Amino acid sequence: MSTDTLIDALRAAVGRSHVLCAADGADLSAYEQDWRRRHRGRARCVVRPGSTDEVAAVVRLCAAHAAPIVPQGGNTGLVVGGVPDASGNQVVLSLQRLNRVCALDADNLTLTVEAGCVLQTAQQAAQAAGLWLPLSLASEGSCTIGGVLATNAGGTQVLRFGNARDLCLGLEVVTADGQICNGLRGLRKDNTGYDLRHLFIGSEGTLGIITAAVLKLVPQPAAQLTAWAAVPSLQAAVALLGLTQRKLGPTLTGFEMMNAYALELVARHFPDRQPPLQDRAPYAVLLEVADVEGEVHARARLEATLAEAMEADVATDAVVATSLAQARALWHIRESIPLAQAQEGLNVKHDISLPVSRIPAFCAEAEAALQGAVPGARLVNFGHLGDGNLHFNVQCPAGADAAAFLHRYEATVNTLVFDAVARHGGSISAEHGIGSLKAAILPRYQDSVALALMQRIKHALDPQGLLNPGRVLVEARLPASAAPAASARG
Ligand code: FAD
C-alpha cells in the first residue's frame, strides 16, 4: 500500500505492475521527458490500462480525486503536449498497451485499431492485405494512432490524402467523466447531428481520451516513384508545384522543399547522405508520385514533366530514382534534416503554414527581419511545400554559443516569424499542434471569438478541467459573460 489513495485505487483497477511510481524506484524518464529533451516534468504516476474499460475506470478514479490526466501515446509530439508538468500532480495515462489491430474490412476499405497501435504497425496491417494507409511521418515507428489523431498529424502525403483527420471515419473516446462514447463506425456518409469525431481529432487530449479508431484505406498504387529536382528560387519551387499538379494530377502525393543550408547540415553530420545532384541550387524539391497505371507509364509521365520544368527554368536539374533503395535514400536525406539540426546544436523551430502563393514573399520578409534582429542567424527552411507547410527553423550564427543564443533570442525570433505569418494569412501551427509550447501565444494569433468558443467547448466537455490542463488553452475558464447568473436562475 502506498500513502497515495489514488495510486492504490489505480492499482486495483489495472493491476499493480501497470501503475509506475518514482517512489517505488521506477524509472519514469521515458514518460516525463519530451522527444526534443527540452522539457522534463514529474508525474504523480504513470498508469498503463490494457482496455477501453480500464481507461474509463482510470478516468473516473482521477476525476473522483480531482487528479489532472496527461494522455500519452508514443511521446513523439513536438509541442510538449504529452508529458507532465513539474508539479508532480499529473497522472500520465499511457495508451501503449491498447495496441491491437482489431479488424480489417477489405470491401469497406477500413482498418480498426486501438489508440496505442503504432502507426507503422497499422501501415503494415494494411499492406499485408494489399491496401495502403496513406499517412506517413518520420516518427511512424514510434507514434501511435491515438497520438496522430489527437494532433491531427500531417506527414508527406497530405497533398493527395489530407491530414489524419481526413483518414478517420470513426472514433471511440473516453469522456472526461469516464464514459465510453462509441463512434467506431466505418461510414463515409453519416449526417446524424454534430460530428463529434472532428472535435476530438486535433484536440491534443484536452477533450477526451481516444481509445480506438476506424481508418480509411485505399488500394495500393501500381507504381510509386520518387524524384529530386534542383530549383533556383522559392518562386520557381511554387511554379514547379503548379506545373506538376497540372501535369500529374492526383498522382502527385508529395512535394517537399529543402533549402541548401538544410542539405549542407545533413551532408556534414551524415556524410553518407549527400544530395543526388551535382547542381547545388538554393533549393531542392523531393516529389512523390503514386499511380494506378504501371511503372513504365508513370515514369514516362514524370520524366516528361520534369523535362518541361527544366525547359521552363523552374528546375535546373532533376533525377528520378530507379529503385526502391534509391527512393528510400532520397527520403532519408529529407528525413535527416531534424536530426542534423539537433547535431548542429540547439535551435528555434517553427511549424507554420501559409497560402502557397504567399510563401516566397513571406520567406523574403521573415528572413530580412531575422537578419535585422540576429545578424548571421542561419535559416534551415524545409517542409511540405505542397501543403503550404514550412519548418522555418533558426540556428544560431556560426561559432556562437547556441544555449546563450536561445536564451536571448528565442522569444524575439518567434514573435517576428509569427507576426509575419499572421500578416500573410498563415497559421502558427500547421501540423504539430499547440501543446504547452504555444498555448500562451495562441491568444495573440487566434481569432478572439474562435478562442472564446474553444473555451466553452472545453468547459462543456471537461468541466473540472482535468484533461491535459494548460495544453492548447492556457486557462480553460468560462468567460464571465457566459457564466450562469445565479440570481436569474433562482
Ligand atoms: P504523443 O506525443 O504521445 O502525444 C501528442 C499529443 O496527443 C499530446 O497532447 C497527448 O496528450 C495527446 N494524445 C496522445 N495520445 C492520445 C490519445 N489516445 N487520446 C487523446 N490524446 C492523446 N507530426 C506531423 O504532423 N507531421 C510530421 O511529418 C511529423 N514528423 C515528425 C518527425 C519526427 C522525427 C518526430 C519526432 C515527430 C514528428 N511529428 C510530425 C510529430 C509527432 O510525431 C506527431 O505529433 C504524432 O502525431 C504524435 O503521436 P504520439 O503517439 O507520439 O503522441
Side-chain angles (χ1 to χ4, degrees), residues 35 71 73-77 81 139 143-144 147-148 150-151 153-155 204-205 210 431 468:
W35 189 82
N75 197 11
T76 66
S139 55
C143 69
T144 62
V148 298
T151 58
E204 301 182 45
I210 297 169
E431 58 177 7
N468 229 358

Side-chain angles (χ1 to χ4, degrees), residues 95-175:
L95 278 301
Q96 279 176 343
R97 287 181 61 227
L98 269 79
N99 57 8
R100 285 183 317 137
V101 173
C102 307
L104 187 142
D105 184 338
D107 290 335
N108 197 40
L109 292 172
T110 49
L111 180 70
T112 305
V113 289
E114 290 184 332
C117 178
V118 168
L119 174 57
Q120 198 169 59
T121 306
Q123 292 167 342
Q124 285 164 352
Q127 200 177 7
L131 297 170
W132 186 22
L133 172 60
L135 180 67
S136 179
L137 329 180
S139 55
E140 63 200 19
S142 308
C143 69
T144 62
I145 295 301
V148 298
L149 290 171
T151 58
N152 187 25
T156 54
Q157 287 141 356
V158 172
L159 190 58
R160 163 89 179 273
F161 298 104
N163 297 298
R165 180 187 301 286
D166 302 292
L167 295 169
C168 178
L169 294 177
L171 271 191
E172 181 186 74
V173 175
V174 170
T175 61

Side-chain angles (χ1 to χ4, degrees), residues 238-249:
V238 170
L240 178 61
L241 172 64
L243 176 78
T244 48
Q245 283 177 314
R246 281 193 306 279
K247 296 288 171 182
L248 302 171

Side-chain angles (χ1 to χ4, degrees), residues 64-77:
H65 287 76
I69 298 171
V70 180
Q72 190 180 91
N75 197 11
T76 66

Side-chain angles (χ1 to χ4, degrees), residues 258-293:
M258 298 149 274
N259 75 350
Y261 184 60
L263 296 174
E264 192 185 314
L265 282 188
V266 173
R268 183 183 314 153
H269 294 287
F270 305 105
D272 59 325
R273 297 170 209 172
Q274 303 291 332
L277 299 171
Q278 290 300 319
D279 186 339
R280 295 292 191 253
Y283 296 91
V285 160
L286 183 63
L287 288 139
E288 192 165 77
V289 161
D291 208 325
V292 288
E293 306 278 356

